[in-house]
């Protein structure tokens, strides 16, 4: 084993990146999509449905606490087993099972996902967003105006993916993305037409942040997996002013850290590992007494190791997450 | 500088898409990221003084956080990082492999922030301060990230195979 010369390495990087960049798709399609898209929905604190409101209330206690930089953390007692999801599709193509649920801290943004285990690349994602999206004045090629129920909306098909967007009321927008399903556009329409209030499905990770440093705010809870046996629970926090990016996440699952390395660290009375150079994160992992792994990922580039350890210490980790729905219709 | 949002999208989409492709290594994901970022940019357009750097930062942040925006297939069925799924390059590469491809394979094994720093330096020709602004870190951190990335990228096996950089945890 030896080393390339530095200038040789740099030249190879430049040439390689230029070549890689040349594989970017024709921008015409992207430009049409962007300019044809409606403005993003207005942010609204008012959830769409009563069940969404209920979700917000329940989630506020289940996701953890918000900690201001200048104030001590106030823990809220978990009062209900999970957060209620507002919508479900009454119809899905045969073979689809649910594998993903996510809900924001205020309950106003919810996502559910289904895939077909026996068919790679087939998936359905249903997302509830706060605020009514304004319908675009013009639609890009492949787009058409539709109504879902009595709600105005539009459908847009690109390749094997169909997107259906509609606004059931002035406070919410629903987006449906269907990929890889035969006759994708028609299937998406049928699924959209079948969407109905749920109010029974829940997200219960049994995991919540305690005190959070640096002004971070608990943001979303997600549960994912193929079956109840391999469920993964995750909570995420964001930095104020950058709500689109997960700054800190905590995950409990049967999977340990992906790579070797790191330094030993004592956390929750156990021997853990702290890796200061993960994938854009600093990762802390520790095996819990019940055999599951806790992995914290710090993408803030600002927290110290001690602060990350403190977050791990303060996490509320229950032993009864609800994975019963994973792999079910 | 473009005077309108529409003009900006029409004139800069291709450039941004190429940057995102260099960053992610996935042209289709890159297009999704750029589209998403530009759509979200629209309502803020009037308050942005320098949209070029601003959008580049948005794209880079999206790359860092795309895990939460990826498809349910990726979220559920795959390990947590698409790029790291490419896996470390091993000795299977033949001596005839295109050296650029080999370098890109090694690049794909780097932790994301190192990878982004390398792309900003060698594709976008950004200096330390510009990279720091995009990544939201100090210039000393930028120098450290690039130094470590180059140390990894320079390692080769003379038998023709490549030695992967240490895989970051995901």
């Amino acid at each position: 084993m030896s080393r390339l010369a530095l200038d040789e390495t740099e030249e190879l990087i430049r040439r390689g990146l230029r070549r890689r960049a040349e594989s970017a798709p024709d921008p015409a399609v992207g430009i049409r999509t962007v300019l044809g898209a409606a403005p993003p929905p207005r942010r609204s604190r008012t959830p769409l449905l009563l069940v969404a409101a209920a979700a917000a209330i329940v989630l506020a206690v289940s996701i953890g606490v918000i900690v201001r930089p200048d104030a001590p953390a106030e823990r809220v007692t978990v009062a209900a087993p999970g957060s209620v999801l507002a919508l479900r599709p009454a119809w899905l193509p045969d073979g689809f099972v649910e594998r993903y649920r996510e809900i924001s801290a205020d309950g106003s943004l919810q996502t559910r996902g289904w895939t077909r285990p026996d068919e790679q690349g087939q998936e359905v994602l249903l997302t509830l967003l706060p605020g009514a999206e304004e319908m675009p004045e013009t639609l890009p090629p492949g787009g058409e105006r539709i109504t879902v129920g009595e709600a105005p909306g539009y459908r847009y098909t690109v390749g094997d993916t169909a997107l259906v967007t509609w606004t059931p009321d002035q406070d919410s927008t629903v987006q449906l993305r269907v990929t890889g399903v035969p006759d994708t556009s028609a299937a998406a329409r049928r699924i959209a037409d079948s969407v109905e209030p749920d109010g029974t499905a829940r997200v219960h990770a049994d995991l919540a942040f305690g005190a959070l440093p640096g002004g971070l705010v608990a943001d979303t809870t997600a549960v994912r997996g193929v079956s109840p046996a391999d469920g993964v629970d995750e909570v995420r926090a964001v930095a104020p002013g950058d709500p689109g990016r997960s700054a800190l996440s905590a995950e409990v699952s049967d999977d340990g850290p992906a790579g070797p390395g790191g330094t030993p660290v004592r956390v929750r009375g156990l021997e853990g590992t702290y890796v200061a150079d993960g994938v854009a994160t600093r990762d802390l992992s520790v095996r819990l007494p019940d055999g599951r792994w806790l992995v914290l990922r710090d993408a803030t580039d600002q927290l110290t190791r001690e602060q990350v350890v403190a977050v791990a210490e303060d996490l509320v980790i229950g032993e009864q997450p609800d994975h019963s729905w994973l792999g079910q219709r | 500088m473009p005077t309108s949002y529409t003009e900006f999208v029409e004139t800069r989409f291709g450039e941004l898409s190429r940057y995102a492709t260099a960053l992610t290594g996935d042209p289709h994901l890159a297009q999704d990221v750029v589209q998403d970022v530009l759509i979200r940019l629209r309502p803020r357009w009037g308050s942005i003084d320098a949209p070029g750097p601003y959008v580049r930062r948005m794209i880079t942040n999206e790359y860092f956080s795309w895990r939460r925006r990826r498809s349910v297939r990726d979220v559920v069925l795959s390990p947590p990082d698409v790029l790291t799924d490419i896996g470390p390059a091993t000795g299977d590469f033949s001596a005839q492999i295109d050296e650029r491809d080999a370098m890109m394979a090694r690049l794909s094994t780097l932790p994301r922030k190192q990878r982004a720093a390398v792309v900003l330096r060698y594709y976008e020709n950004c200096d330390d301060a510009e990279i720091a602004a995009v990544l939201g870190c100090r210039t000393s951190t930028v120098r450290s990230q690039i130094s470590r990335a180059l140390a990894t990228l320079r390692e080769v096996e003379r038998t023709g195979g490549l030695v992967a950089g240490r895989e970051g945890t995901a």
Side-chain angles (χ1 to χ4, degrees):
Chain A
M1 183 165 55
S2 61
R3 308 187 81 192
L4 292 170
L6 180 58
D7 58 351
E8 182 183 4
T9 302
E10 292 180 319
E11 183 57 24
L12 280 172
I13 295 170
R14 287 192 179 93
R15 286 163 46 201
L17 288 173
R18 281 199 299 270
R19 184 181 182 191
R20 175 185 277 187
E22 288 167 4
S23 67
D26 180 354
V29 174
I31 291 169
R32 283 199 303 271
T33 301
V34 171
L35 296 180
R42 301 186 308 274
R43 294 295 295 181
S44 167
R45 290 290 176 184
T46 308
L48 158 70
L49 303 169
L50 291 177
V51 283
I57 295 168
V58 176
L59 187 64
V61 297
S62 67
I63 196 170
V65 299
I66 296 173
V67 179
R68 298 168 188 82
D70 57 351
E74 294 180 15
R75 190 186 310 282
V76 181
T77 302
V78 173
S83 308
V84 179
L85 293 165
L87 300 173
R88 69 181 171 204
W91 181 85
L92 286 171
D94 289 342
F96 274 78
V97 294
E98 190 167 10
R99 292 182 162 178
Y100 186 70
R101 290 179 180 177
E102 175 182 321
I103 190 165
S104 62
D106 65 359
S108 63
L109 193 152
Q110 306 181 3
T111 298
R112 303 176 69 171
W114 295 260
T115 68
R116 273 192 66 172
D118 54 341
E119 291 286 347
Q120 286 285 322
Q122 294 194 18
E123 66 180 43
V124 174
L125 273 177
L126 180 66
T127 301
L128 173 66
L129 297 156
E133 178 174 323
E134 296 175 15
M135 292 296 108
E137 293 182 3
T138 58
L139 292 174
E144 64 171 324
R145 297 184 192 283
I146 61 173
T147 57
V148 179
E150 296 181 351
Y154 59 95
R155 176 171 53 178
Y156 180 47
T157 304
V158 184
D160 68 347
T161 297
L163 303 166
V164 182
T165 302
W166 69 100
T167 53
D169 57 42
Q170 62 180 4
D171 295 317
S172 59
T173 297
V174 181
Q175 292 182 338
L176 173 71
R177 189 177 77 185
V178 180
T179 301
V181 177
D183 197 359
T184 306
S185 184
R189 180 60 195 265
R190 185 172 176 188
I191 296 169
D193 284 336
S194 79
V195 170
E196 62 185 15
D198 190 327
T200 57
R202 292 173 178 269
V203 182
H204 180 50
D206 210 0
L207 174 67
F209 284 116
L212 286 169
L216 296 175
V217 176
D219 180 54
T220 51
T221 294
V223 176
R224 66 180 188 273
V226 175
S227 71
D230 68 356
V232 177
D233 305 297
E234 183 179 14
V235 288
R236 305 176 192 124
V238 297
D242 195 4
R245 178 187 179 212
S246 175
L248 181 70
S249 69
E251 189 172 288
V252 173
S253 73
D254 290 336
D255 293 328
T263 56
V265 62
R266 194 73 180 166
V267 57
R268 300 178 76 93
L270 303 163
E271 195 69 27
T273 303
Y274 181 75
V275 180
D277 187 22
V279 182
T281 61
R282 284 135 302 281
D283 299 344
L284 185 154
S285 57
V286 61
R287 189 155 204 179
L288 301 170
D290 63 6
R292 295 181 298 168
W293 284 86
L294 165 66
V295 179
L296 250 76
R297 295 189 179 89
D298 164 30
T300 64
D301 207 21
Q302 294 176 354
L303 301 184
T304 64
R305 165 177 155 156
E306 289 69 30
Q307 286 177 307
V308 175
V309 169
V311 171
E313 296 280 5
D314 218 31
L315 273 168
V316 179
I317 305 174
E319 296 182 350
Q320 296 182 322
D322 178 13
H323 297 162
S324 61
W325 53 271
L326 287 167
Q328 305 298 309
R329 163 64 179 81
Chain B
M1 186 182 106
T3 56
S4 72
Y5 172 82
T6 298
E7 185 179 355
F8 180 85
V9 171
E10 289 176 339
T11 59
R12 302 291 290 277
F13 190 100
E15 167 196 332
L16 296 170
S17 181
R18 288 190 291 276
Y19 166 65
T21 301
L23 188 64
T24 65
D26 181 334
H28 301 293
L29 173 64
Q31 177 156 317
D32 286 348
V33 166
V34 173
Q35 287 176 184
D36 192 34
V37 161
L38 289 175
I39 289 171
R40 286 192 283 124
L41 177 71
R42 179 182 283 182
R44 312 179 204 169
W45 180 254
S47 61
I48 299 170
D49 294 329
Y54 187 87
V55 172
R56 191 162 55 191
R57 179 167 187 182
M58 287 180 74
I59 290 171
T60 308
N61 282 338
E62 192 74 9
Y63 162 64
F64 287 144
S65 63
W66 84 45
R67 183 161 175 251
R68 60 183 308 202
R69 291 180 174 276
R70 282 162 35 208
S71 71
V72 67
R73 179 178 64 246
D74 293 333
V75 169
V76 173
L77 302 179
S78 304
D81 187 324
V82 171
L83 278 189
T84 56
D85 291 351
I86 294 170
T90 61
D92 291 336
F93 287 88
S94 73
Q96 290 75 34
I97 192 170
D98 185 295
E99 288 184 325
R100 293 171 303 186
D101 292 339
M103 183 58 75
M104 290 302 97
R106 268 177 289 179
L107 184 70
S108 297
T109 69
L110 295 178
R112 278 190 194 175
K113 188 159 278 188
Q114 286 186 27
R115 224 179 304 166
V118 167
V119 172
L120 288 163
R121 168 61 50 79
Y122 294 104
Y123 180 73
E124 292 282 290
N125 296 314
C126 294
D127 60 26
D128 288 348
E130 290 171 321
I131 296 172
V134 172
L135 299 184
C137 63
R138 296 180 292 272
T139 54
S140 59
T141 303
V142 171
R143 288 192 289 273
S144 169
Q145 296 281 354
I146 291 178
S147 175
R148 279 186 284 173
L150 289 175
T152 301
L153 296 174
R154 292 175 67 187
E155 296 289 337
V156 296
E157 281 184 1
R158 287 308 184 193
T159 56
L162 302 173
V163 176
R166 184 183 66 75
E167 185 64 44
T169 56

